[in-house]
Amino acid sequence: MNANTYAFLVHNENDWNDFEPFLREAQTAGLTTWAYLVPPTECPGVDDTCSTYLPHKKDYLAWARAIGALADEYAVLKAWAMDDFYYNRAFFTPAYTGQIRAAAGIDFYPVVYVHQLTEAFTISYANVMDSLILPFNDSPNRNTVWTGSLRGHLDTAVALLAAKSKKLLLMPYAATLSATTVTPDVGYVRTVTAVGIEYVKAGKIAGVVQYALPLTPDLPQAGDVSFAHTGRGGLVFTVHSNTDTQAGDFAAASTAVRLDPGSTSCSMVLWHQDNWGDNTPGYHMKQALIGGTKVWERDIASEGTDWYTSSPRDLTPYLTNGVGTLMLRLYEAKGVANYRVLVRFDDIRLTGCHIANPDFETTGGWTMTRGNGPVFGGTHISDPVYSTTVHSTVAALYTT
């Protein structure tokens, strides 16, 4: 896949025993390798003792020395990383982090999300880290469907780290992230990775590292489901459970609608679906707008959980010189605190007019916007051989 580095996760009981044999092979292949450790909040064991995190349990100074000894023997071992570093900063104080970094004698990369990367954190830890791994999950909204915030996150992080002459490595989620509603599809990984490579080429970040990109061919994405009415692609909007929204929040997808040559009228039928059923109305609204005018609306609580079609909607009065902007969105009529919803659109049928990608079988043709963070959406295309497709997709991007 044109990668030059492998991050070897040390988590399960036998991982450390497998690490040196892997390093022997990596040395022969010339493959740069990192040791990727987990912190006390993730390590196996009981009572926060890391009792089965073998061989060194919660003694990260011993882990560091062992990693350093392997690095002395295998030149390809050039760095080690610590997952969920920020959540464990009470344990990994700047002083202790400096000790373990010095004991290993190779680069140290903490994993920190953008909402955790403050000026105070950077000042405290810049001298005891070499680069920083920045996972992208639309933090703090935690999803793997929305990519519109990526450049802003990178620009913020780059500026903070540049003040201390440090860089970051962007981590796209190529595998399913826990506590999310929509799994990452190939289009999501492609978009995040491509932006990362753009920033690498511009000299702004140090690299791109995929989170758990699958290496076994011809497998679907773990936990993936189809959001399509037909085919494999659909437009999906979601609000997580235990999430606060406000009236007026929304996420939307927009595209241009145009009259067909010789046509004087335009009508539309939508296929739509949601996961809620017919109760607790008045909160989440499925909507279609033309040029900012609402032409169709359904409360998610007004119907069951099947796929439904709208009645035909005449869009002609809302077009200007035969052209208009169609927007599909999930809109918050009232704020919620714990009201999870999953809304899907697919198979838009137009008569006398046309749009790009009406079946959402590709990722193009639509522009995503949102009115606030807790509501988000995007096109999702399921793939029965996701592992193969995403591997080749990343490989093509890495050649750049």
Side-chain angles (χ1 to χ4, degrees), residues 56-227:
H56 301 296
K57 303 179 182 179
K58 201 176 176 180
D59 186 349
Y60 287 88
L61 193 58
W63 281 109
R65 290 173 180 142
I67 289 169
L70 288 175
D72 289 340
E73 187 172 353
Y74 300 98
V76 292
L77 179 53
K78 296 184 182 296
W80 63 305
M82 187 65 66
D83 200 44
D84 276 357
F85 182 85
Y86 184 87
Y87 295 116
N88 291 266
R89 66 193 186 282
F91 179 80
F92 293 117
T93 64
Y96 185 54
T97 303
Q99 292 176 20
I100 63 175
R101 174 174 174 260
I106 56 176
D107 282 1
F108 178 69
Y109 303 150
V111 176
V112 180
Y113 292 89
V114 71
H115 69 282
Q116 303 165 339
L117 185 58
T118 63
E119 183 177 6
F121 175 88
T122 306
I123 291 171
S124 296
Y125 285 93
N127 291 333
V128 294
M129 66 180 183
D130 297 280
S131 287
L132 180 142
I133 296 175
L134 187 82
F136 174 72
N137 64 357
D138 193 33
S139 176
N141 299 305
R142 194 175 181 86
N143 71 92
T144 51
V145 62
W146 192 272
T147 61
S149 59
L150 174 57
R151 292 178 185 276
H153 285 193
L154 284 174
D155 291 343
T156 297
V158 165
L160 280 171
L161 292 170
K164 291 294 183 179
S165 300
K166 302 292 180 180
K167 289 187 176 182
L168 65 87
L169 298 118
L170 173 65
M171 179 182 277
Y173 280 90
T176 299
L177 175 61
S178 61
T180 57
T181 304
V182 182
T183 61
D185 65 359
V186 173
Y188 175 86
V189 177
R190 180 190 295 114
T191 298
V192 177
T193 302
V195 172
I197 290 174
E198 174 191 325
Y199 275 66
V200 172
K201 292 172 68 175
K204 296 179 179 180
I205 69 174
V208 180
V209 52
Q210 304 292 332
Y211 171 84
L213 188 140
L215 300 179
T216 302
D218 299 332
L219 295 178
Q221 174 69 282
D224 194 16
V225 296
S226 174
F227 296 104

Side-chain angles (χ1 to χ4, degrees), residues 310-368:
S310 68
S311 57
R313 288 293 188 270
D314 183 11
L315 308 184
T316 314
Y318 310 102
L319 304 182
T320 302
N321 297 321
V323 180
T325 299
L326 169 63
M327 175 185 285
L328 303 179
R329 72 181 185 179
L330 173 62
Y331 179 83
E332 300 294 275
K334 298 178 183 178
V336 301
N338 185 14
Y339 192 160
R340 177 183 178 273
V341 64
L342 193 67
V343 166
R344 313 174 194 192
F345 291 97
D346 197 9
D347 294 336
I348 303 169
R349 295 295 174 248
L350 298 167
T351 303
C353 50
H354 60 277
I355 59 174
N357 193 15
D359 300 318
F360 303 102
E361 292 301 305
T362 66
T363 56
W366 293 80
T367 299
M368 303 302 303

Side-chain angles (χ1 to χ4, degrees), residues 7-89:
F8 188 101
L9 177 64
V10 179
H11 186 208
N12 295 324
E13 183 175 355
N14 291 318
D15 287 344
W16 183 256
N17 294 333
D18 293 336
F19 189 33
E20 186 169 5
F22 180 88
L23 283 171
R24 287 196 294 268
E25 299 289 344
Q27 186 85 358
T28 300
L31 178 66
T32 297
T33 303
W34 307 341
Y36 194 105
L37 270 63
V38 297
T41 56
E42 293 183 284
C43 63
V46 295
D47 300 324
D48 196 31
T49 64
C50 300
S51 58
T52 58
Y53 194 28
L54 303 177
H56 301 296
K57 303 179 182 179
K58 201 176 176 180
D59 186 349
Y60 287 88
L61 193 58
W63 281 109
R65 290 173 180 142
I67 289 169
L70 288 175
D72 289 340
E73 187 172 353
Y74 300 98
V76 292
L77 179 53
K78 296 184 182 296
W80 63 305
M82 187 65 66
D83 200 44
D84 276 357
F85 182 85
Y86 184 87
Y87 295 116
N88 291 266
R89 66 193 186 282

